[in-house]
Amino acid sequence: MLPSSSQLRNALAYVAITLLALLFLNLYSARNTRTLMFQAKYTAAQDKLQPIVSAFSGLDALTVENVEQVISVLGDLNVTRVIVTDYEARALYDSSVGQNCVGRYVLFEEVAQALGGNDVFYCVYDSGALESRAAMPVQTDGATIGCVYMMEYDTAQGKIIADLERTFLRGSVILEAAIVLASVCFSIISSGRMRKILTSVRLAREGEYNYKIRMRGADEFSKLAAEFNKLTERLQASESAQRQFISDASHELKTPLASIKLLSDSILQNDMDTATMREFVADIGSESDRLTRMAQKLLVLNRTEHAVELEHEVVDAEQVVSHVFRMLIPLAERREIHLTGDLEHGCLVLSAEDDLYQILFNLVENGIKYNRDGGSVHVKLRRTDDDVTITVEDTGAGIPREALEHIFERFYRVDKARSRQAGGSGLGLSIVRELVARNLGTIDVSSIEGSGTRFTVVLPYFDMEREEGHDEEP
Ligand code: ADP
């Protein structure tokens, strides 16, 4: 299977980069090896020419005889060819047998330059051989009386260069082949890992959240897979919460609807007296009121969860408590329940919409609903430099310890019959919890069965002076 295009691109990029790097290394090392060899040859040529030139210096002129005499004394010079010329470039001695040029003019560039008084050295590497040519002037009292020319054709050193370059090239080819192979393997492996992730994403898109990617290692693919697994876990949890909510909501809505149906069927089917009929119709009315309240609360919950930008305003908690008391006094009076308050002044809170009113209303209403006749609901307001603490305490039946952790869940009711009778929907406290959280507060509950319940809400205190100070800062 071919790697996907991005992986192929990466692999080709690795190959191209390493190819360039190896090419550069090869050229660089070849150049360095040759330069080193040339330098060695130069030193060797100097070492060979210098004794010959020194042996000639002091002579008035170079002749065939004195040159041959000196050369024979020096012995084997161990070079390919040596030519000694007079000051006119005429050859006086030539070590070459085949191309001997004694008596003829030597027209080599090196000879011309040496007769001009310069030391000359040329070296080239060609066709596996190292060819070096050097020439040195022979001078007596500052006058050039001739020159010594030397040529060396070294196949042994040429072979060393050729072998070295070949070894480098062979190593590079093997290395590059290994890189190509590794790149292909790597891209196939990583494209396999990518395919695994893509398949899982496709499955998740089709609603299959149970599928988990199992991937070893600690590279980006493994991290991506781990993130994907966490995402599907969250989606799964939120989907099951949503399912649970829909099933709870439909169940809750079904109950009053069934009662309405039952009551209306009874009215239609039975011959009943007017008083009973009135009672049944009143029951239908209260069931539909309950449906309306539930629909309203569901709307509030939905709004709370999905509100993105909210209007905030500074509210005085004391005034909000008074407002809530005014609204709930009729309900409390019906059962002779006393609403009392111990309210500190200046408890300012920054509240989104009328959240604080809704929080207090639900808590005080519950305090009345789940109270005994003649009981009381007490609200206390206290503030510190940072927080406002609101306590709503009642003298009701209390909440069993095992139920305390569930009362903020949607549709949860400790005593279903009692809650329904009191017009409850099991949504009030979940709304309170959402509203407290979105106003950056906390809520706590403590209860003693048979004695009462206390809810404590802590919200950030809005310090007017501190805020104005902030506003005035440049
Ligand atoms: P409901 O609409 O049924 O009152 P809530 O979410 O407001 O729903 O309350 C959930 C349950 O918690 C209630 O059904 C009730 O059993 C219990 N509860 C809430 N407040 C109190 C309280 N002050 N005293 C006793 N029980 C309470």
Side-chain angles (χ1 to χ4, degrees), residues 67-82:
V67 168
E68 268 185 1
Q69 201 179 349
V70 168
I71 297 284
S72 64
V73 171
L74 288 172
D76 186 10
L77 295 169
N78 196 20
V79 288
T80 312
R81 190 177 188 185
V82 177

Side-chain angles (χ1 to χ4, degrees), residues 71-189:
I71 297 284
S72 64
V73 171
L74 288 172
D76 186 10
L77 295 169
N78 196 20
V79 288
T80 312
R81 190 177 188 185
V82 177
I83 300 175
V84 182
T85 72
D86 63 8
Y87 67 95
E88 287 179 312
R90 196 175 317 131
L92 302 172
Y93 171 83
D94 185 352
S95 65
S96 167
V97 183
Q99 297 172 318
N100 199 294
C101 62
V102 172
R104 289 206 297 268
Y105 286 104
V106 183
L107 302 175
F108 297 151
E109 169 72 25
E110 296 80 11
V111 171
Q113 282 189 31
L115 289 176
N118 305 307
D119 284 359
V120 190
F121 177 77
Y122 288 114
C123 191
V124 286
Y125 169 75
D126 189 28
S127 316
L130 206 57
E131 187 184 327
S132 55
R133 296 190 302 276
M136 246 184 211
V138 181
Q139 292 175 324
T140 302
D141 299 332
T144 304
I145 56 167
C147 86
V148 182
Y149 167 87
M150 189 199 89
M151 197 275 275
E152 198 178 19
Y153 193 77
D154 192 340
T155 47
Q157 299 232 12
K159 189 171 174 302
I160 292 175
I161 292 181
D163 283 352
L164 261 177
E165 290 184 359
R166 209 172 301 124
T167 309
F168 257 120
L169 190 69
R170 203 175 297 141
S172 301
V173 170
I174 292 170
L175 194 63
E176 190 58 35
I179 289 169
V180 170
L181 201 72
S183 300
V184 170
C185 290
F186 175 73
S187 65
I188 287 174
I189 290 169

Side-chain angles (χ1 to χ4, degrees), residues 366 369-370 394 399 407 412-414 419 424-426 428-429 453:
N366 276 358
K369 278 194 307 193
Y370 302 106
D394 63 59
I399 302 168
I407 55 168
Y412 181 81
R413 284 169 294 197
V414 180
S419 163
S425 58
L429 286 181
T453 306

Side-chain angles (χ1 to χ4, degrees), residues 293 297 362-371 377 392-400 403 406-416 418-420 422-432 445 447 452-455:
R293 273 198 305 278
K297 285 189 174 169
N362 287 7
L363 293 179
V364 177
E365 191 194 30
N366 276 358
I368 300 168
K369 278 194 307 193
Y370 302 106
N371 218 321
V377 179
V392 180
E393 203 167 352
D394 63 59
T395 54
I399 302 168
H406 299 294
I407 55 168
F408 294 104
E409 289 168 12
R410 288 165 188 181
F411 301 113
Y412 181 81
R413 284 169 294 197
V414 180
D415 180 345
K416 282 208 173 213
R418 173 141 196 220
S419 163
R420 193 163 292 136
S425 58
L427 292 169
L429 286 181
S430 46
I431 291 176
V432 168
V445 58
S447 185
T453 306
R454 182 197 295 144
F455 284 93

Side-chain angles (χ1 to χ4, degrees), residues 32-337:
N32 267 7
T33 318
R34 288 177 193 196
T35 308
L36 279 174
M37 289 290 195
F38 291 169
Q39 269 166 3
K41 278 281 164 207
Y42 173 70
T43 318
Q46 294 275 313
D47 288 349
K48 282 173 184 169
L49 282 178
Q50 203 63 58
I52 308 175
V53 170
S54 303
F56 289 139
S57 57
L59 295 172
D60 293 335
L62 297 179
T63 61
V64 173
E65 292 74 29
N66 60 19
V67 168
E68 268 185 1
Q69 201 179 349
V70 168
I71 297 284
S72 64
V73 171
L74 288 172
D76 186 10
L77 295 169
N78 196 20
V79 288
T80 312
R81 190 177 188 185
V82 177
I83 300 175
V84 182
T85 72
D86 63 8
Y87 67 95
E88 287 179 312
R90 196 175 317 131
L92 302 172
Y93 171 83
D94 185 352
S95 65
S96 167
V97 183
Q99 297 172 318
N100 199 294
C101 62
V102 172
R104 289 206 297 268
Y105 286 104
V106 183
L107 302 175
F108 297 151
E109 169 72 25
E110 296 80 11
V111 171
Q113 282 189 31
L115 289 176
N118 305 307
D119 284 359
V120 190
F121 177 77
Y122 288 114
C123 191
V124 286
Y125 169 75
D126 189 28
S127 316
L130 206 57
E131 187 184 327
S132 55
R133 296 190 302 276
M136 246 184 211
V138 181
Q139 292 175 324
T140 302
D141 299 332
T144 304
I145 56 167
C147 86
V148 182
Y149 167 87
M150 189 199 89
M151 197 275 275
E152 198 178 19
Y153 193 77
D154 192 340
T155 47
Q157 299 232 12
K159 189 171 174 302
I160 292 175
I161 292 181
D163 283 352
L164 261 177
E165 290 184 359
R166 209 172 301 124
T167 309
F168 257 120
L169 190 69
R170 203 175 297 141
S172 301
V173 170
I174 292 170
L175 194 63
E176 190 58 35
I179 289 169
V180 170
L181 201 72
S183 300
V184 170
C185 290
F186 175 73
S187 65
I188 287 174
I189 290 169
S190 53
S191 74
R193 284 156 85 81
M194 185 49 111
R195 256 199 319 282
K196 209 168 169 183
I197 294 173
L198 278 176
T199 313
S200 318
V201 170
R202 211 165 293 134
L203 284 171
R205 193 190 63 201
E206 284 159 12
E208 179 62 75
Y209 300 138
N210 281 328
Y211 186 79
K212 295 275 169 288
I213 311 175
R214 269 172 238 300
M215 205 169 270
R216 272 185 296 177
D219 60 0
E220 285 82 356
F221 288 113
S222 312
K223 285 181 190 153
L224 191 64
E227 286 300 321
F228 172 83
N229 289 344
K230 281 186 207 153
L231 183 75
T232 47
E233 263 163 39
R234 269 202 73 173
L235 284 171
Q236 200 172 13
S238 100
E239 196 193 49
S240 77
Q242 208 173 348
R243 262 203 216 123
Q244 182 67 41
F245 176 72
I246 291 170
S247 104
D248 289 351
S250 54
H251 176 78
E252 290 301 323
L253 291 169
K254 238 164 48 193
T255 320
L257 283 173
S259 304
I260 291 171
K261 174 98 174 83
L262 200 72
L263 290 164
S264 55
D265 282 354
S266 307
I267 293 170
L268 286 175
Q269 282 163 16
N270 300 333
D271 257 348
M272 55 177 69
D273 56 90
T274 325
T276 319
M277 194 186 295
R278 272 181 174 279
E279 208 179 296
F280 274 35
V281 173
D283 284 347
I284 289 176
S286 72
E287 284 300 300
S288 43
D289 281 350
R290 204 147 73 83
L291 271 178
T292 313
R293 273 198 305 278
M294 204 182 296
Q296 270 165 354
K297 285 189 174 169
L298 283 172
L299 274 177
V300 173
L301 258 184
N302 190 44
R303 259 212 335 265
T304 314
E305 276 174 0
H306 296 105
V308 186
E309 279 196 14
L310 297 164
E311 290 275 328
H312 282 81
E313 58 174 346
V314 182
V315 289
D316 186 340
E318 191 186 354
Q319 286 173 17
V320 180
V321 175
S322 305
H323 186 193
V324 169
F325 277 4
R326 276 201 304 283
M327 299 305 289
L328 289 172
I329 276 174
L331 181 68
E333 275 178 348
R334 252 180 262 158
R335 295 177 49 215
E336 293 176 350
I337 291 169

